[in-house]
Amino acid sequence: MRAGLGYFQGFVDYFDRAGCGFIGAYRQEGLGEVTVNLGYSAAPSIDGKVVILIDPMLATGSSFIESVNAMGRLGTPAHIHIAALVASPQGIKFVGENLKLPHTIWTWAIDETLDDNFYIVPGLGDAGDLSFGVKL
């Protein structure tokens, strides 16, 4: 996923025989609520495979669910691992309630909550914008 590109290479170095894909997911704001934009995606077949989705933050969980739904045309994975540096309790709960495939969430910190803008508090800010600049 877009914001996950900052630590993508580390996963590729470790899982050096794995196929790779890309999902250009980002939150689209200013519409009264946060929606997920999946502007671009490309990946090999995931049917029966273990899939790792990486993104620095698991805030609402919507990006992960939308990404998994979009990957459905590529097959049904055997298991999905979600790797997020920071997560919110709300995002973890949302993924658990809405991801109907076998999955594991790997996170290194669970912060307190989400604010009114659905950012993790205290969080890191918008990791995608901090890595690549503000979306145009």
Side-chain angles (χ1 to χ4, degrees):
M1 294 168 56
R2 177 184 79 104
L5 287 175
Y7 72 114
F8 174 74
Q9 189 61 50
F11 281 85
V12 172
D13 289 347
Y14 190 79
F15 299 105
D16 60 350
R17 294 185 182 170
C20 298
F22 176 81
I23 300 171
Y26 64 90
R27 64 167 54 202
Q28 189 162 352
E29 301 177 41
L31 304 174
E33 62 183 49
V34 175
T35 58
V36 178
N37 184 317
L38 299 176
Y40 177 84
S41 64
S45 171
I46 60 170
D47 199 42
K49 296 181 180 175
V50 174
V51 171
I52 302 172
L53 289 175
I54 60 173
D55 198 356
M57 293 184 286
L58 168 57
T60 66
S62 296
S63 294
F64 285 105
I65 298 300
E66 292 294 328
S67 295
V68 169
N69 290 341
M71 291 185 320
R73 64 180 170 76
L74 301 171
T76 303
H79 194 94
I80 296 175
H81 292 274
I82 294 173
L85 296 173
V86 179
S88 75
Q90 296 95 321
I92 292 170
K93 181 179 179 192
F94 184 82
V95 168
E97 292 173 348
N98 291 281
L99 185 53
K100 303 305 181 196
L101 297 168
H103 65 279
T104 304
I105 297 174
W106 299 89
T107 188
W108 289 260
I110 300 174
D111 279 2
E112 297 169 19
T113 191
L114 296 175
D115 67 13
D116 292 340
N117 295 314
F118 303 102
Y119 285 107
I120 299 173
V121 177
L124 301 170
D126 187 321
D129 289 355
L130 292 170
S131 296
F132 301 105
V134 177
K135 295 176 283 293
L136 301 174

